[in-house]
Amino acid sequence: MKRNWLYIVLILLISAAVFACGKSETPTEEGSKEKGEKAVAATDYEVDEIRLAGGDWGYPSPFAHYPRGPGGFKMALIFDSLLERDEKGLIPWLAESWQIEDNGHTYRFTLREGVKWQDGTPLTAEDVAFSIDYANRHAAVWSYIFNAVSSIEIASTNEIRISLKSANATMLDYLGRTRIIPKHIWENVERPKEFTAPEAVIGCGPYRLTDYSKEHGTYRFEAFDNYWGPRPRVRVVMFIPVSEAVLAYEKKEIDMTAVTPDLLPRFQKDPANKILRNPAFWGYRLLMNFEKVPWLRDVRIRQALAYAINRQELVDKIARGAAVPGRMGILPPDHVMAAEDVRSYPFDPQQAKSLLDAAGMNRMNPEGFRLTADNTPFAMEILCSAQEVRMAELMRQQLKMVGIKLDIRATDAKTRDTKVRGLDYQVAILGHGGWGGDPDYLTHHLAADVFDQNASPSSSGLAGLDAPELMALLKHQSLEIDPQKRQQLITDIQKRVAELVPEIPLFYTAGYTVFRPAKYDGWMYMYDHHNVSHGKLSYLRRTGPAAPRVR
C-alpha cells in the first residue's frame, strides 16, 4: 500500500514540476450513457438494496452536512468532483485530464462532455467555474480552496483555467475534491449552509437522495439512471438506525458492521462472512490549549505528558488491540511519508517525573498532586465525548502516577466539537479520520489560531503555540512541488513536532469490518481512508465498458 501511494504522490508532484498532465480515456458511449440519454435497466444492478447503520450527519448538500466523514461521504454519492480517489491515488472524474502550469500557480482542467444534472439540465464549464468560485467565496465543507483562487477563466466549452493567489503543493487534491454544483440552482443562494430545499441536493453523481429523516438518522439513496459514468452496482443504498450494529448485522438488518477483535471469532467460524482489517487512518489525539493552561507552554511539561500517558495500554484496553500507538511525529506508521527516525516517548513515569521536577513542579500537596507556582495543584480539565469517558478515566489514572490531577468533562460529540473549534477547553480528546491524507493536514492541526466554525474538527488547530521555526517549515512544504525536497521537509517537520509535542496522538485505530460477500462484494478502500463504505467507487462498476480508464 505504501509503495502504491508513494508512486501516485511522486507522479503527481513531478507532473506539477514539469507541467505534465494526467488523463483518462473517455468512456465508451455505452459506458458513459453519452449525453445522459441512456437509462440503466433494472437488470443492470447486481444488488437491489444495501442497508448500512445510520445516524444523522446532516442534510447531504456540500454546505449543510455535518463536517465529519460520514456526512461528507453521503453527500459525495450525490455530488461529483473533478477528481476521484481509488486504491492508488487521484483519478480523473468530471475532469478527464488536467495540466499544471506556471510553477503550480495555474491549473487547466479538460471536462467530460455529455454530463447532465439530476434534473436533466446539461452540466457545462460555467457550472464548474461557478462551483470553484462559489467554494472560493463560501467556506464549503470538504473544500480547502476558500479564498485561494485569484481568477477562473472558461477557456472553451469544455475547459477551465484556475489561477491561484499563491502556489500550493496540495492544490490539485483541494481543487479535485471540491464538489461541483449546478449554477442554475445555487447562483442566488447567499447562505449556503441554510439552503436545505429539495433542489439543494440535485447533483450529477451516481445517486439521488430520495428520503432523509433528521429525527431518525435515516437516508435513502437511489441510483441515478442517467449517470454519465460507471454504472451503479447497487440500486438503493439505505442508512437505517440500529441500537447495536453487531446484533443488527447478525439479524441481517444491515449488511456490514465494524467489529472489535474480541468479537472476531463469532464471525470467523462462519464462511458466509468476510473480514477486512482497516488501515490505521482513523485516530485519537490529545489537544492542549496553551492559552487556557499556561503551564503547557513549557515543552518539558508536554514531553512529560507524552512519557506519562501509556498509549499501549490505551490500545489494549480501549481499542482492544485493534489500533497502533500514537507517534509524536503525528503521521501514522501506515502513512507513505511517515518518518522512521523521530523521537519516541515510551511509557516512563520516572522520566515524566524528572521533566516535571525540571519544570519546577517538584513540590507535592497532601493528596499527592504536584503544586504550581501559586501553590495550587497541577490540575487540568479534559473535555471528551460520552463515548470517550473510559479513555479519559484511564488517562486520569496514568497521570495521577506522576502527580497530575485530571478532571473529566464529558458531553455529546457535537458539543465537544463545537467547544474545540471555539477554544473552550483546556485539554481535549478528539477522534477523527483523515490521518492518511496529504501531510499538509499538519498545518491545519498545528498552525490555525482561529477556527472556522464550519470546518471539520479534524482541521482544528492549536491556540498559543509559539514555534516560528515549525511554522516556517509548514509554510515551505506547502509551496514545494519537487517531491524529494517536499519529502525531506515533511520529515523535518515530524522531527521538530516530536520534540515540541504540541499535541499527543493517542492511537490510530486499525479495526475490522465484516460483511457477507454473497450479498455484495464490491467494497474497496480509498488510498488514504479507513472505511470501505465511504468510497464512492465501492458502489460502482470497476471493470467493463462502464469503468473509467486511467492512463
Side-chain angles (χ1 to χ4, degrees):
M1 180 176 178
K2 281 191 175 183
R3 183 179 303 168
N4 289 337
W5 204 78
L6 179 59
Y7 176 79
I8 292 300
V9 170
L10 293 178
I11 288 298
L12 291 177
L13 293 175
I14 291 171
S15 298
V18 298
F19 318 131
C21 65
K23 296 181 179 179
S24 74
E25 299 176 23
T26 302
T28 63
E29 179 176 351
E30 178 184 2
S32 64
K33 296 171 283 300
E34 191 168 63
K35 309 241 179 246
E37 294 177 355
K38 185 169 182 178
V40 177
T43 55
D44 283 344
Y45 301 113
E46 296 178 19
V47 179
D48 183 67
E49 182 179 276
I50 291 289
R51 296 166 70 88
L52 303 171
D56 179 45
W57 295 97
Y59 197 59
S61 84
F63 297 87
H65 67 274
Y66 185 65
R68 273 188 179 270
F73 289 112
K74 289 178 175 62
M75 175 274 298
L77 293 174
I78 304 170
F79 292 89
D80 272 350
S81 49
L82 292 172
L83 307 180
E84 190 51 70
R85 294 179 288 174
D86 68 3
E87 301 95 332
K88 298 181 179 180
L90 297 172
I91 62 173
W93 208 245
L94 288 178
E96 61 182 8
S97 66
W98 65 85
Q99 292 179 331
I100 306 173
E101 304 170 338
D102 191 21
N103 291 321
H105 284 81
T106 302
Y107 289 74
R108 185 197 303 263
F109 292 94
T110 300
L111 309 176
R112 296 190 186 277
E113 297 181 353
V115 179
K116 285 192 174 183
W117 296 106
Q118 292 169 357
D119 63 1
T121 305
L123 183 149
T124 67
E126 284 195 11
D127 289 308
V128 177
F130 168 80
S131 301
I132 300 298
D133 177 67
Y134 198 84
N136 190 51
R137 292 184 289 113
H138 300 276
V141 183
W142 262 37
S143 175
Y144 294 95
I145 68 170
F146 179 65
N147 203 31
V149 176
S150 62
S151 66
I152 305 169
E153 176 188 354
I154 299 177
S156 68
T157 56
N158 70 331
E159 184 177 275
I160 66 167
R161 185 183 297 113
I162 303 169
S163 297
L164 307 178
K165 294 179 179 179
S166 62
N168 189 315
T170 62
M171 192 52 70
L172 180 63
D173 185 29
Y174 292 170
L175 290 170
R177 78 172 66 178
T178 300
R179 299 296 124 173
I180 305 305
I181 57 177
K183 179 180 179 181
H184 65 280
I185 290 176
W186 288 85
E187 60 183 334
N188 294 319
V189 176
E190 296 296 331
R191 297 180 178 178
K193 189 174 182 180
E194 300 174 12
F195 182 43
T196 56
E199 57 267 30
V201 288
I202 291 176
C204 63
Y207 286 88
R208 299 178 299 112
L209 180 70
T210 57
D211 186 61
Y212 163 65
S213 169
K214 179 178 179 62
E215 179 183 3
H216 298 104
T218 58
Y219 297 80
R220 184 182 188 274
F221 297 93
E222 185 171 342
F224 174 43
D225 286 346
N226 288 326
Y227 183 51
W228 66 268
R231 292 176 181 170
R233 302 172 69 177
V234 181
R235 187 182 71 86
V236 173
V237 181
M238 289 280 294
F239 294 88
I240 63 173
V242 294
S243 57
E244 175 53 57
V246 171
L247 293 178
Y249 175 79
E250 290 179 322
K251 295 178 181 179
K252 297 187 177 182
E253 296 172 358
I254 56 176
D255 299 308
M256 173 187 289
T257 188
V259 292
T260 52
D262 56 309
L263 295 179
L264 282 179
R266 289 167 56 174
F267 303 101
Q268 291 171 328
K269 298 176 182 178
D270 187 348
N273 298 311
K274 187 173 182 178
I275 298 171
L276 302 174
R277 181 178 174 87
N278 305 328
F281 290 150
W282 203 102
Y284 292 94
R285 56 187 173 123
L286 182 70
L287 296 179
M288 295 177 279
N289 190 334
F290 305 132
E291 293 182 350
K292 295 275 189 176
V293 187
W295 316 294
L296 293 176
R297 297 172 190 167
D298 190 323
V299 66
R300 295 168 296 186
I301 292 179
R302 301 197 299 271
Q303 291 174 344
L305 292 176
Y307 280 117
I309 295 174
N310 189 338
R311 295 181 295 284
Q312 184 61 55
E313 185 178 21
L314 295 178
V315 168
D316 295 339
K317 294 184 178 179
I318 304 299
R320 301 178 186 178
V324 180
R327 303 167 71 247
M328 291 307 109
I330 298 181
L331 298 186
D334 284 345
H335 198 290
V336 66
M337 290 192 181
E340 297 181 357
D341 54 347
V342 299
R343 178 172 175 175
S344 63
Y345 293 79
F347 177 57
D348 190 339
Q350 289 304 316
Q351 181 65 18
K353 291 177 181 178
S354 296
L355 285 165
L356 291 171
D357 289 342
M361 306 289 184
N362 54 2
R363 294 178 298 111
M364 307 286 280
N365 72 359
E367 295 180 342
F369 293 114
R370 293 177 178 272
L371 296 177
T372 65
D374 59 358
N375 291 323
T376 60
F378 183 18
M380 298 181 295
E381 181 182 76
I382 187 168
L383 174 67
C384 65
S385 73
Q387 291 74 27
E388 295 149 359
V389 169
R390 176 69 184 111
M391 193 186 312
E393 290 175 341
L394 194 57
M395 290 170 59
R396 179 168 60 185
Q397 296 171 13
Q398 295 170 355
L399 294 180
K400 185 177 181 180
M401 295 172 59
V402 299
I404 297 175
K405 188 174 188 292
L406 196 64
D407 298 319
I408 298 174
R409 177 170 57 149
T411 184
D412 63 275
K414 291 185 179 181
T415 299
R416 184 272 318 277
D417 290 350
T418 299
K419 289 183 177 296
V420 165
R421 285 193 295 261
L423 303 180
D424 183 16
Y425 73 95
Q426 294 184 355
V427 295
I429 297 175
L430 191 66
H432 56 80
W435 295 77
D438 188 285
D440 188 61
Y441 71 68
L442 295 172
T443 303
H444 301 286
H445 279 214
L446 305 172
D449 283 330
V450 179
F451 302 154
D452 173 11
Q453 289 296 313
N454 295 320
S456 170
S458 63
S459 297
S460 298
L462 302 179
L465 176 63
D466 183 17
E469 179 184 346
L470 175 60
M471 297 304 119
L473 285 171
L474 290 168
K475 178 66 174 178
H476 191 177
Q477 67 80 28
S478 71
L479 301 176
E480 182 56 69
I481 62 175
D482 181 275
Q484 292 182 343
K485 292 180 179 179
R486 187 167 187 245
Q487 172 70 74
Q488 184 58 54
L489 287 168
I490 297 299
T491 297
D492 292 344
I493 288 169
Q494 293 173 77
K495 290 181 178 180
R496 186 61 182 151
V497 166
E499 294 292 336
L500 291 175
V501 193
E503 64 177 43
I504 298 179
L506 299 172
F507 59 83
Y508 320 100
T509 62
Y512 298 89
T513 297
V514 61
F515 65 95
R516 301 180 186 87
K519 174 68 179 289
Y520 185 65
D521 196 15
W523 305 108
M524 59 149 277
Y525 290 104
M526 292 178 286
Y527 74 97
D528 59 350
H529 195 62
H530 63 281
N531 191 314
V532 291
S533 69
H534 286 176
K536 181 183 296 185
L537 270 63
S538 279
Y539 306 95
L540 306 180
R541 290 189 178 180
R542 305 297 306 282
T543 59
R549 296 183 293 277
V550 182
R551 188 184 69 174

